Amino acid sequence: MPASAPLQNPTAHVVQSFLKHQYEICLYSKDMPYALQATIIDLNSETGFLVLEVECHGESFNSYVRDGMINFDIETLHPLDGSAKNSALTRDIHSVSNIPAKVVRIDSSAYRLECQLPSSVFLLEQRGAVRIPFILGMRAKVSVEVYVGGLIVVGNLRNISVGGCLVDVAIEDTVPIAVGQPLPGVTIEFPNGASFFAEGIVRHMRPFGNHGYAALGVEYINLEPHQAEELFYIVNEAEREAAYRSGTNDRVVGHSPLFIPGAVEKSAIQREEKEQKKRLRQSPMQRGILELAHQLQYSLMYIKSRDHFPEKVIYDCADAILYLLRKDRKALLYALAFLHNEPDWVRQAVRVAAQMADIMLIRDPHSIQVREAVVGALLHTMGKPLLVSEELPTLKTNMSPRHKEILKNHVVTLRDKLHSLGWRPSKVCEDIILHANELLDGTGYPFNIKGSQLTENILLVSVVKAVNKLIYGRNGVRPLTPLNAYRLISEAPQCYDKATLVEYIQCYGLYPIGNLAKFSGGFLAWIIDVDGKGMPIKVNVVKNLAFIDTNIDSVLEQGDFSQIGRLEGVVDPNDYGVRFYKV
């Protein structure tokens, strides 16, 4: 009797499905605030033998290999309809944990990991329950109720067991969530319209992949008998679906009813396809800036949930800004526009840090203060999300006077938190953290210092902050054009240094790079470059207002501006439906 063909390793089959698309794979550790990028060198789909290569400088590599085991996330963006051309993109991610790995050191900073993938996609938890991963396109939405009758965070289900589940949420939505926090409600909605509700508690939280998401490990609590019965049914059906999709059980011949899309789910998929098709292509510089913004948010997560200050991550962010400025200043200024949909505190931190560094380097290319000043600017607004609580449940809504008063404590809150973590900033860094909100006439906060008590760095950062605050709408106040923002600041010479404002205007002009301009032909275009007088000479045309639902992606030089008409001014992207989409 001939020997039967060896069975394909199911986990390798799942990993291999990611390799059909452009993928990213990273090692993670619960003790480290950042992941290590890796590359797949070899994968045997029959045996599950996997070889990775990874670079890691310093001694931190040992933190990613514990007791001969590693954990990794593999992530991809792939077409929703299966074709590679003209299709919307969706994000898929899979985690594999506790994999045996043999470490071979290649050189001082490069390692090869020879790994054995598990023979089953189902994992046995410490409590004895089987955890079912959502693989190969399995979908379910999750709504997490953070406060009773209050804030709801929406995410995707990534695995489930009778004990709990793993929820994939946007990193900015983790601000009000802490490890150990009870959750009044966790609702899972399946494609066919069925749903499951239970109370929960957050058991762990970590960065998830490379695109600004986090994983929440939720344990169910206070289950009633009927809920436990529903949960057993759901887990069994999820196991059946995963077995069918991975081909591990030839007795399963069709989809579970839970995963057959109903009318609501089909409509949601259509909306997702439509929105993702509008997603703008991102340059490496733009992706770098977004990654930097995500690293700040991951740092906040570790400060809040682990009581750990990730000094290396923060300084890496500062060094990245300085490197990008020196590499291609105008490309960086343009990339800052792509922070538009990031949380206010993150967007302001990165923009202010970058523009402050830009002006400081123009003043003195060899400034010895600029790195510490950038770190201070990146940290300055982090006290705001630290204040989020049941009393201040979110930073996204219009603030009441009471909420605004609470927020004025963000500087002292951050200072006290950093001190409690044992981190002491340098003098330059601390000056920015503590005094960036102070004004010349002493009406700033929190210490009401004024005049000659303010350093040159504070005179600069106060102007940069004021401009950035005014050109973005908040608390129901519409954003101003750069010209009107300059005018408003100029009319308050008692608060802001006039010479610094003039310097800022000379640096960025009336039509700054990264703003959306409107042309008389009815076209909207992002300003990519300006001349010595601050007039646009290169733009990216993204919309023709005669066809409002159609997007364009066409770069024009000054000589071709006659195609789109004369420049009329800077406009608010939100007024015209120009949006940035997060995958």
Side-chain angles (χ1 to χ4, degrees):
M1 181 182 232
S4 60
L7 293 175
Q8 187 179 59
N9 179 287
T11 306
H13 171 57
V14 173
V15 172
Q16 196 168 49
S17 71
F18 284 80
L19 306 189
K20 297 175 183 178
H21 312 284
Q22 187 172 348
Y23 73 91
E24 294 173 301
I25 186 168
C26 58
L27 271 62
Y28 69 87
S29 166
K30 66 178 183 179
D31 299 321
M32 301 300 290
Y34 55 91
L36 294 180
Q37 299 296 312
T39 303
I40 293 179
I41 303 302
D42 186 31
L43 173 62
N44 188 314
S45 60
E46 294 181 351
T47 65
F49 182 70
L50 171 71
V51 180
L52 302 174
E53 278 193 7
V54 62
E55 281 199 14
C56 181
H57 298 275
E59 299 179 357
S60 61
F61 181 73
N62 292 335
S63 298
Y64 295 89
V65 184
R66 291 293 178 88
D67 301 322
M69 302 284 189
I70 64 167
N71 309 298
F72 70 75
D73 296 325
I74 185 166
E75 183 176 25
T76 186
L77 303 178
H78 60 81
L80 276 169
D81 64 5
S83 67
K85 188 176 182 182
N86 298 324
S87 175
L89 295 176
T90 187
R91 169 179 170 267
D92 200 5
I93 186 168
H94 181 57
S95 297
V96 186
S97 57
N98 297 323
I99 312 163
K102 176 185 175 183
V103 179
V104 179
R105 190 162 188 166
I106 301 173
D107 57 35
S108 61
S109 61
Y111 301 84
R112 184 169 68 248
L113 300 173
E114 298 174 355
C115 314
Q116 179 57 52
L117 294 174
S119 57
S120 173
V121 294
F122 309 124
L123 297 178
L124 191 65
E125 295 183 326
Q126 291 179 349
R127 295 185 296 272
V130 176
R131 188 187 341 145
I132 313 301
F134 273 46
I135 56 175
L136 302 172
M138 292 172 64
R139 293 164 58 105
K141 295 293 184 184
V142 183
S143 299
V144 177
E145 187 178 357
V146 181
Y147 305 120
V148 176
L151 182 65
I152 302 290
V153 168
V154 177
N156 294 295
L157 192 63
R158 291 303 179 183
N159 68 47
I160 191 170
S161 74
V162 294
C165 61
L166 190 75
V167 186
D168 177 5
V169 302
I171 180 64
E172 60 262 30
D173 289 334
T174 65
V175 169
I177 301 173
V179 174
Q181 179 174 335
L183 302 172
V186 178
T187 303
I188 303 173
E189 298 178 29
F190 292 91
N192 73 335
S195 64
F196 172 75
F197 171 86
E199 296 176 49
I201 188 169
V202 180
R203 289 303 184 195
H204 60 84
M205 181 164 57
R206 69 170 180 87
F208 201 37
N210 296 291
H211 293 277
Y213 291 84
L216 301 181
V218 177
E219 178 187 352
Y220 307 125
I221 58 174
N222 303 327
L223 289 176
E224 299 287 343
H226 72 89
Q227 290 174 304
E229 187 176 334
E230 288 177 37
L231 189 54
F232 273 106
Y233 167 75
I234 287 168
V235 172
N236 285 335
E237 289 300 302
E239 184 175 2
R240 169 185 165 183
E241 184 71 16
Y244 173 68
R245 295 194 185 214
S246 61
T248 58
N249 188 342
D250 55 12
R251 290 177 295 178
V252 181
V253 295
H255 290 289
S256 159
L258 285 179
F259 295 90
I260 298 175
V264 174
E265 176 69 6
K266 287 179 180 178
S267 176
I269 291 173
Q270 289 172 354
R271 287 197 306 272
E272 185 177 337
E273 289 177 350
K274 185 176 180 181
E275 288 187 351
Q276 295 296 349
K277 284 178 180 177
K278 296 177 182 179
R279 182 174 172 267
L280 297 177
R281 291 182 299 198
Q282 297 170 352
S283 70
M285 182 73 81
Q286 292 155 10
R287 288 194 296 272
I289 285 296
L290 286 173
E291 172 62 19
L292 194 153
H294 298 153
Q295 288 301 323
L296 275 185
Q297 294 172 80
Y298 291 140
S299 297
L300 172 70
M301 178 194 295
Y302 273 76
I303 288 172
K304 288 189 66 174
S305 65
R306 303 281 177 84
D307 281 335
H308 167 73
F309 180 70
E311 182 178 38
K312 182 180 184 300
V313 176
I314 299 296
Y315 274 90
D316 283 350
C317 289
D319 291 339
I321 287 175
L322 296 175
Y323 170 77
L324 295 174
L325 268 174
R326 291 179 170 119
K327 181 182 179 182
D328 192 336
R329 171 182 177 267
K330 289 183 175 180
L332 172 60
L333 295 176
Y334 179 56
L336 294 176
F338 289 77
L339 295 169
H340 190 272
N341 283 355
E342 295 300 311
D344 284 349
W345 73 269
V346 177
R347 183 185 64 239
Q348 180 161 321
V350 179
R351 285 183 61 91
V352 169
Q355 290 186 335
M356 184 180 186
D358 184 34
I359 294 174
M360 289 181 73
L361 290 175
I362 290 172
R363 289 175 175 178
D364 177 5
H366 307 291
S367 170
I368 61 173
Q369 295 189 1
V370 63
R371 186 177 190 240
E372 292 297 324
V374 170
V375 170
L378 289 174
L379 290 172
H380 169 72
T381 56
M382 198 175 281
K384 293 181 179 181
L386 287 174
L387 285 167
V388 170
S389 63
E390 201 156 2
E391 190 177 12
L392 181 67
T394 179
L395 299 175
K396 293 182 178 181
T397 59
N398 293 343
M399 296 288 167
S400 68
R402 182 173 61 87
H403 288 153
K404 291 178 182 178
E405 284 301 313
I406 293 173
L407 270 185
K408 282 190 175 182
N409 294 315
H410 75 89
V411 173
V412 174
T413 298
L414 177 62
R415 180 197 64 188
D416 294 345
K417 184 66 174 178
L418 295 178
H419 285 182
S420 73
L421 299 179
W423 188 72
R424 297 292 186 271
S426 69
K427 185 177 179 180
V428 171
C429 177
E430 186 174 49
D431 183 35
I432 301 293
I433 291 173
L434 296 183
H435 304 139
N437 294 314
E438 305 291 355
L439 300 174
L440 277 173
D441 62 355
T443 59
Y445 68 92
F447 306 115
N448 306 115
I449 64 176
K450 60 182 179 180
S452 60
Q453 296 175 284
L454 302 179
T455 64
E456 188 176 80
N457 287 341
I458 297 303
L459 297 182
L460 172 58
V461 75
S462 63
V463 169
V464 176
K465 280 180 76 273
V467 175
N468 277 277
K469 180 179 178 180
L470 292 171
I471 63 175
Y472 283 93
R474 62 171 72 186
N475 293 328
V477 178
R478 284 186 54 79
L480 300 180
T481 64
L483 176 59
N484 287 335
Y486 300 156
R487 182 177 292 121
L488 195 63
I489 297 169
S490 178
E491 291 171 354
Q494 74 280 8
C495 296
Y496 302 99
D497 181 61
K498 194 71 172 282
T500 303
L501 174 62
V502 170
E503 182 182 20
Y504 184 97
I505 297 171
Q506 290 173 338
C507 190
Y508 300 113
L510 301 181
Y511 306 100
I513 291 172
N515 277 259
L516 187 67
K518 184 173 181 291
F519 289 80
S520 62
F523 291 89
L524 301 179
W526 293 107
I527 300 171
I528 298 177
D529 196 3
V530 295
D531 60 19
K533 296 180 179 179
M535 297 301 293
I537 57 174
K538 186 177 181 180
V539 299
N540 181 20
V541 182
V542 293
K543 197 171 284 288
N544 179 349
L545 296 180
F547 305 95
I548 193 68
D549 293 327
T550 302
N551 293 309
I552 309 171
D553 184 14
S554 181
V555 175
L556 295 183
E557 304 281 349
Q558 187 177 23
D560 299 317
F561 282 7
S562 58
Q563 300 176 33
I564 55 177
R566 70 181 184 280
L567 175 66
E568 291 187 340
V570 170
V571 295
D572 180 8
N574 294 322
D575 288 344
Y576 298 93
V578 177
R579 301 172 62 189
F580 300 93
Y581 291 91
K582 180 173 182 175
V583 174

